């Protein structure tokens, strides 16, 4: 089998890149390790920057998002001194779209099906070959048979645990990492959201976040020690702790109910450089991971896809040099979002061993955010999305 771009991974990065390339007349084959239902079963953040929503519309996948997504003009932050709002629209003229990643992935699969894109599910033991030649190829197994896919380029969209990053020689990669000393216990419940917009809470007992998927589906998070296990937390214990960490007025009016999903996720910041090795280009979580505090994971995948799509279009149009700028261009925006996600995590969580000085610095950061328009503008600019 032969194609122009072999895409490893059928998550948001791989599907969006495949959709854009096919609509531009460039052939792709997506190789996904899991079944489609497994991919669609993942629960992920759902706050989309305008750059991401514009790209989804450009890919022909924006109709349901525009119909069902919720526009937020701002967000709330709460501390022991009370709750305040950062108005994105007033500060930087931008908004965000609340629309779950599961929905985005569903829309991408539907769009890919509509154009007859080639997606191979349950592709096992994917391996990348001859990446530094002008004739790379990919091998994989499916239904007990081995397959070879010849291609012009390979897009590594296979996430943090994928094969693509590992296909770059270790001595040619520089990896940057910060592992945070806590996790997020997340609950999804068929309950009305606690507030119209999100609430990020800095509390002496730990961070909490009140988010949502739609007017009947809420998403909540609690900072928990890394030693916690999800079975340690009954629903009642979760709701009680969440009420302790959210503003009293919000907690009093909050609707609770059975969790339909409950899990603990670790937090890390990670970047690998460069994002290119010969004819292999890394995209999304394959190259970088952000703590979810800034809701940047899917949005960074979108900007990577945007840059690589533009470069591949130019390359297939005769300008192969366009690919030379992909890694540096993507990394510039990635590090901006990496910094913001680290900053949001640093000012909102309780760190083990945090002393009184650290506490006062957090309070000072949050006070500036509450009282300085310039601080709010900087946060709003980062939260709603740095320029592409
Ligand atoms: N071969 C084929 N497919 C693979 C392999 C492999 N060796 N390893 C992983 N995959 C698949 C996974 O099953 C997954 O469906 O690659 C896909 C990678 O998808 P994501 O991990 O979602 O990464 P990405 O598409 O970059 O999307 C980033 O998704 O996980 C969230 O927080 C993340 O919001 C961010 C977004
Ligand atoms: C979510 O709704 O899952 C969500 C929202 C904002 C974040 C993180 C997660 O910063």
């Amino acid at each position: 089998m032969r194609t122009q771009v072999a895409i490893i991974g059928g998550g948001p990065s791989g599907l969006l890149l495949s959709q854009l390339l096919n609509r531009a007349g460039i052939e792709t084959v997506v190789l996904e390790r899991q079944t489609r239902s497994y991919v669609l079963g993942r629960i992920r953040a759902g706050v989309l920057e305008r750059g991401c929503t514009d790209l989804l519309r450009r890919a022909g996948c924006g109709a349901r998002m525009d119909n069902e997504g919720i526009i937020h003009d701002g967000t709330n932050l709460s501390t022991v001194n009370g709750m305040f709002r950062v108005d994105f629209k007033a500060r930087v003229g931008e908004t965000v779209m609340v629309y779950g990643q599961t929905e985005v992935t569903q829309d991408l699969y539907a769009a890919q099906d509509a154009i007859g894109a080639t997606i191979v599910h349950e592709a096992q033991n994917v391996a990348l070959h001859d990446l530094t030649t002008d004739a790379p190829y990919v091998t994989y197994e499916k239904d007990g048979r081995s397959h070879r896919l010849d291609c012009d380029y390979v897009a590594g969209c296979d996430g943090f645990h994928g094969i693509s990053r590992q296909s770059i020689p270790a001595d040619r990669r520089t990896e940057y990492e910060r592992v945070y000393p806590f996790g997020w216990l997340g609950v999804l419940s068929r309950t009305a959201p606690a507030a119209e917009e999100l609430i990020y809470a800095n509390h002496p007992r730990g961070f909490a976040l009140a988010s949502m998927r739609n007017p009947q589906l809420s998403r909540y998070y609690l900072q928990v020690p890394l030693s916690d296990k999800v079975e340690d937390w009954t629903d009642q214990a979760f709701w009680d702790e969440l009420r302790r960490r959210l503003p009293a007025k919000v907690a009093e009016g909050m609707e609770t109910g059975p969790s339909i999903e409950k899990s603990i996720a670790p937090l890390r910041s990670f970047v690998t450089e460069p994002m290119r090795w010969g004819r292999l280009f890394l995209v999304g979580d394959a190259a970088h991971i952000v703590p979810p505090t800034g809701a940047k994971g899917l949005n960074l995948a979108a900007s990577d896809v945007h840059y690589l799509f533009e470069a591949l279009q130019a390359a297939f149009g005769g300008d192969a040099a366009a690919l030379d700028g992909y890694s540096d261009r993507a990394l510039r925006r990635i590090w901006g979002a990496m910094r913001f996600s680290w900053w949001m995590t640093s000012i909102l969580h309780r760190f083990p061993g945090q002393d009184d000085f650290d506490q006062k610095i957090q309070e000072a950061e949050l006070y500036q955010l509450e009282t300085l328009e310039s601080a709010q503008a900087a946060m709003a600019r980062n939260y709603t999305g740095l320029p592409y």
Side-chain angles (χ1 to χ4, degrees):
M1 191 160 54
R2 188 185 210 293
T3 191
Q4 289 177 287
V5 182
I7 297 176
I8 319 301
S13 294
L15 296 171
L16 181 52
L17 180 63
S18 172
Q19 184 66 11
L20 289 164
L21 288 171
N22 278 277
R23 283 167 62 98
I26 297 168
E27 290 172 8
T28 68
V29 171
V30 176
L31 299 177
E32 165 55 50
R33 179 161 63 182
Q34 304 292 353
T35 62
R36 183 176 293 200
S37 56
Y38 184 95
V39 174
L40 290 171
R42 293 182 182 126
I43 304 289
R44 292 283 191 281
V47 175
L48 309 183
E49 301 168 351
R50 182 162 56 82
C52 180
T53 56
D54 285 351
L55 201 59
L56 287 166
R57 294 183 190 105
R58 183 174 169 191
C61 308
R64 190 163 74 102
M65 173 187 72
D66 287 329
N67 186 40
E68 298 178 12
I70 308 168
I71 301 291
H72 281 190
D73 293 352
T75 196
N76 301 293
L77 294 101
S78 87
T79 72
V80 291
N81 303 317
M83 184 160 82
F84 64 93
R85 182 170 182 268
V86 175
D87 187 332
F88 305 145
K89 203 156 190 177
R91 295 289 166 267
V92 295
E94 291 286 356
T95 60
V96 291
M97 168 86 78
V98 173
Y99 188 66
Q101 179 172 313
T102 307
E103 313 312 317
V104 170
T105 311
Q106 270 177 6
D107 296 345
L108 284 165
Y109 269 118
Q112 286 270 275
D113 292 346
I115 63 172
T118 306
I119 304 175
V120 179
H121 282 283
E122 298 181 278
Q124 301 303 321
N125 301 318
V126 169
L128 313 182
H129 307 273
D130 292 354
L131 293 172
T132 56
T133 72
D134 59 5
Y137 67 97
V138 179
T139 55
Y140 65 96
E141 288 156 22
K142 166 88 174 166
D143 301 331
R145 287 184 47 233
S146 298
H147 300 264
R148 170 173 168 145
L149 175 63
D150 290 283
C151 55
D152 296 313
Y153 299 102
V154 182
C157 303
D158 48 350
F160 185 65
H161 301 290
I163 185 67
S164 295
R165 185 175 70 252
Q166 306 303 330
S167 300
I168 301 176
D171 63 350
R172 307 302 292 268
R173 278 184 274 136
T174 304
E175 298 189 346
Y176 305 85
E177 186 168 51
R178 168 69 47 86
V179 177
Y180 297 90
F182 39 74
W184 276 20
L185 167 63
V187 158
L188 194 65
S189 60
R190 294 195 203 289
T191 54
E196 282 193 9
E197 294 174 330
L198 274 59
I199 302 174
Y200 290 85
N202 170 303
H203 190 278
R205 296 176 64 91
F207 168 80
L209 171 59
S211 183
M212 64 200 72
R213 292 288 177 273
N214 62 49
Q216 296 78 36
L217 197 58
S218 296
R219 181 69 168 163
Y220 295 104
Y221 297 94
L222 290 177
Q223 172 189 344
V224 294
L226 282 174
S227 53
D228 273 17
K229 302 278 180 288
V230 67
E231 51 269 20
D232 298 341
W233 285 86
T234 63
D235 285 1
Q236 192 56 55
F238 180 87
W239 295 122
D240 292 345
E241 185 60 30
L242 183 64
R243 283 202 177 94
R244 293 187 190 102
R245 300 187 189 182
L246 291 177
K249 280 191 68 173
V250 172
E252 282 156 21
M254 189 171 70
E255 181 189 354
T256 63
S259 59
I260 57 176
E261 194 273 344
K262 184 158 56 178
S263 56
I264 294 180
L267 275 70
R268 87 175 63 235
S269 298
F270 175 87
V271 181
T272 192
E273 293 186 1
M275 291 169 60
R276 174 190 189 173
W277 175 247
R279 296 221 169 189
L280 168 65
F281 298 87
L282 302 182
V283 183
D285 275 18
H288 43 76
I289 295 288
V290 282
T293 328
K296 291 300 165 206
L298 179 55
N299 291 300
L300 273 182
S303 49
D304 289 354
V305 166
H306 165 78
Y307 296 137
L308 185 57
F309 168 59
E310 280 197 340
L312 284 169
Q313 255 195 318
F316 283 111
D319 173 17
L323 288 164
D324 297 340
Y326 166 70
S327 181
D328 286 347
R329 193 179 178 202
L331 284 166
R332 174 71 60 208
R333 190 173 192 274
I334 288 160
W335 276 111
M338 206 55 62
R339 180 212 68 84
F340 175 68
S341 303
W342 165 84
W343 175 76
M344 283 277 278
T345 303
S346 302
I347 68 169
L348 290 170
H349 290 76
R350 279 289 171 289
F351 287 72
Q354 178 171 319
D355 63 19
D356 294 345
F357 177 81
D358 297 322
Q359 171 67 26
K360 297 302 277 183
I361 292 298
Q362 277 191 352
E363 287 171 13
E365 281 274 8
L366 289 158
Y367 183 69
Q368 283 206 10
L369 207 45
E370 183 178 1
T371 57
L372 288 184
E373 281 195 13
S374 55
Q376 293 193 357
M379 188 254 183
R381 175 75 276 160
N382 279 276
Y383 193 94
T384 59
L386 294 171
Y388 271 32

